[in-house]
Amino acid sequence: MKVLMFGWEFPPKIYGGLAVASYGITKGLSLQGDVETTFCMPRPTGEEEKFLRIVNMGQVPVAWRDVDYDYVASRMTGHTADDYYRFRDHIYADFNYLQPNDLGCLEFAGGYPENLNQEINNFSIIAGIVARSEQFDIIHAHDWLTYPAGIHAKKVSGKPLCIHVHATDFDRSRGNVNPTVYGIEKDGMDNADCIMCVSELTRQTVINNYHQDPRKCVAMHNAVYPLADDIRAIEPHKNPKEKIVTYLGRITMQKGPEYFVEAAALVLTRTKNIRFCMAGSGDMMDAMIKLVAQKGIADRFHFPGFQRGRQVYECYKNSDVFVMPSVSEPFGIAPLEAMQCGCPSIISKQSGCGEILDKVIKVDYWDIYSMADAIHSICTNDALHDYLQAEGLKEVDGITWEKVGLRIRRYYNNLVGR
């Protein structure tokens, strides 16, 4: 089976959980043995793993240019020069008004620039060329950024469209929904033949807030991969006289960072031998630094900034408790990663991952007293800590992307057969 997949992120370039999930899903599909995925993204690095084929959407021509083969080959990152010429043969309109570069391509900034809506539109234009050039059985589009591309590919090819809802704007905005984003999300859902949601929590949001047919909506929980040997071998550096409690993620409204600070202040009224770490970056970081200062706990609080790659796992390994106090978390892979590293987790009841995790402590994000009690208990009760550590590791070891890939493949079969 051949899958034409549209995504905005993919490792090693990681902006958030979307990249991790995109990797996991495609890797899980590759393990089925007979699934070939062509992954289209705005700006690959050229260092992506080779178990799937990458199409660099910023190097797909939308306007004819008479260019030398060797020159094209020297410029390609992702797909090949032969791909470039094949794409060029399928240009379907004159897009010179968009001011393409010397290769006739529309370049992408990568990530989430200020002109994001324009880049999303350009991405969908290019999707029309790719869909005319490729042979595939099904289309899979990740999150609202690529839904227009998926719709265009469906209209061109007539192939079934599966969209993956990793989050909705109701999650990102705490209900203060951007009407433009909502419109793009709903259009993608209306045109989809199957809507895969990262949790039942998200599925209900899709059904109730976007008015979708429950029969085409399915909960498709995320997973984790076994830790690499070099990550597993990381030795934690801990002070036996102190405990470390960590928040790791975007410091934004959706993630509830202020509740973590409030709970930390409550814990520190009982004991002083606990340090708190808020790792990450985001638009609320300055506000959290000020809140920590106002609470008078700056001497027990650390802001190491955005963590990437190995740093993330070092952070988990060095921690005694991981806390994810999200206000609305469609899934949340971070607690699973922390549990893999032997770090007990506390998550909000408003987190999708809680649907498949039992060996964690669950609290309402707003209940800072329960959150503080849970933190204090794990830090002071060795038996509770050791139980959550051992049983959590066993639980998360059974949650694999290979199983997710198998489930997705079954839905693909149903869509293609239909």
Side-chain angles (χ1 to χ4, degrees):
M1 178 173 288
K2 295 185 177 181
V3 183
L4 180 63
M5 192 174 288
F6 296 101
W8 208 257
E9 299 181 22
F10 199 85
K13 196 68 172 179
I14 297 174
Y15 297 95
L18 182 58
V20 177
S22 295
Y23 176 88
I25 289 165
T26 52
K27 186 71 170 180
L29 286 170
S30 74
L31 295 174
Q32 305 311 310
D34 61 348
V35 179
E36 298 177 16
T37 302
T38 296
F39 192 88
C40 307
M41 60 185 297
R43 192 172 179 175
T45 64
E47 298 174 3
E48 291 75 18
E49 290 190 29
K50 305 303 181 185
F51 63 85
L52 77 175
R53 176 169 165 254
I54 299 290
V55 169
N56 183 343
M57 298 291 266
Q59 293 183 344
V60 174
V62 299
W64 181 276
R65 296 289 187 270
D66 186 10
V67 282
D68 177 73
Y69 183 94
D70 290 339
Y71 178 67
V72 171
S74 70
R75 293 278 297 276
M76 292 295 104
T77 301
H79 58 260
T80 66
D82 290 332
D83 291 324
Y84 170 89
Y85 290 106
R86 183 164 48 82
F87 292 142
R88 192 180 68 174
D89 290 339
H90 290 88
I91 295 172
Y92 58 91
D94 184 2
F95 292 109
N96 279 296
Y97 72 93
L98 293 172
Q99 299 181 319
N101 63 17
D102 60 324
L103 291 177
C105 302
L106 302 174
E107 297 179 4
F108 291 88
Y112 302 87
E114 291 184 2
N115 67 330
L116 182 58
N117 286 335
Q118 180 60 53
E119 294 216 337
I120 291 169
N121 183 64
N122 290 349
F123 194 85
S124 69
I125 288 171
I126 300 165
I129 294 171
V130 174
R132 287 169 168 84
S133 309
E134 297 293 314
Q135 297 294 320
F136 52 93
D137 301 299
I138 196 164
I139 305 155
H140 196 144
H142 291 278
D143 247 9
W144 69 282
L145 303 144
T146 71
Y147 293 168
I151 294 170
H152 194 170
K154 177 180 178 177
K155 290 179 177 177
V156 166
S157 66
K159 302 294 185 180
L161 169 63
C162 171
I163 67 167
H164 217 108
V165 184
H166 297 270
T168 71
D169 210 50
F170 285 89
D171 302 303
R172 291 182 288 265
S173 66
R174 283 196 191 174
N176 187 24
V177 177
N178 181 320
T180 300
V181 176
Y182 177 87
I184 294 173
E185 289 177 329
K186 189 171 190 314
D187 194 32
M189 295 174 191
D190 290 344
N191 282 276
D193 299 285
C194 176
I195 303 174
M196 294 185 179
C197 309
V198 292
S199 62
E200 182 60 29
L201 181 74
T202 303
R203 179 175 177 268
Q204 290 303 319
T205 299
V206 167
I207 292 168
N208 297 320
N209 293 19
Y210 294 84
H211 317 294
Q212 297 301 308
D213 184 347
R215 292 172 297 180
K216 73 173 185 180
C217 303
V218 57
M220 189 65 66
H221 296 100
N222 288 331
V224 285
Y225 264 106
L227 296 180
D229 290 341
D230 63 318
I231 299 298
R232 198 179 294 274
I234 294 174
E235 289 292 334
H237 299 285
K238 294 184 176 182
N239 181 345
K241 296 181 180 180
E242 290 186 325
K243 302 292 185 181
I244 303 294
V245 179
T246 294
Y247 165 115
L248 192 151
R250 286 181 291 118
I251 306 177
T252 62
M253 183 168 57
Q254 176 191 352
K255 302 293 185 178
E258 68 270 36
Y259 300 104
F260 179 72
V261 175
E262 295 283 358
L266 290 173
V267 171
L268 290 170
T269 63
R270 306 188 207 179
T271 179
K272 295 297 183 183
N273 69 332
I274 299 177
R275 290 188 180 274
F276 292 84
C277 171
M278 182 170 279
S281 60
D283 57 3
M284 288 184 67
M285 185 169 182
D286 288 347
M288 292 304 99
I289 293 172
K290 291 178 181 176
L291 181 59
V292 165
Q294 290 168 3
K295 294 289 182 182
I297 57 174
D299 61 323
R300 311 304 297 171
F301 229 96
H302 304 269
F303 292 87
F306 184 79
Q307 306 292 293
R308 55 171 53 84
R310 186 181 176 88
Q311 292 175 321
V312 171
Y313 295 99
E314 289 175 344
C315 195
Y316 292 141
K317 290 260 191 175
N318 291 334
S319 301
D320 298 284
V321 185
F322 173 78
V323 183
M324 188 178 75
S326 298
V327 175
S328 180
E329 186 69 54
F331 185 78
I333 290 178
L336 281 73
E337 295 176 333
M339 291 162 71
Q340 282 185 302
C341 294
C343 183
S345 292
I346 301 169
I347 64 174
S348 72
K349 292 179 181 177
Q350 292 72 26
S351 303
C353 64
E355 296 169 12
I356 60 171
L357 292 177
D358 291 321
K359 307 306 181 185
V360 295
I361 294 180
K362 303 172 189 178
V363 298
D364 286 305
Y365 71 86
W366 44 263
D367 192 347
I368 57 173
Y369 294 96
S370 292
M371 194 181 301
D373 285 343
I375 293 170
H376 186 264
S377 295
I378 297 174
C379 288
T380 57
N381 185 331
D382 290 342
L384 176 60
H385 175 279
D386 294 348
Y387 172 81
L388 290 174
Q389 182 181 60
E391 295 302 315
L393 183 58
K394 290 178 187 176
E395 181 173 57
V396 79
D397 279 348
I399 303 172
T400 68
W401 282 115
E402 186 171 4
K403 292 178 182 178
V404 175
L406 181 60
R407 284 195 69 212
I408 291 175
R409 173 61 194 272
R410 290 185 189 132
Y411 281 95
Y412 283 174
N413 289 343
N414 291 337
L415 290 171
V416 172
R418 189 190 311 165

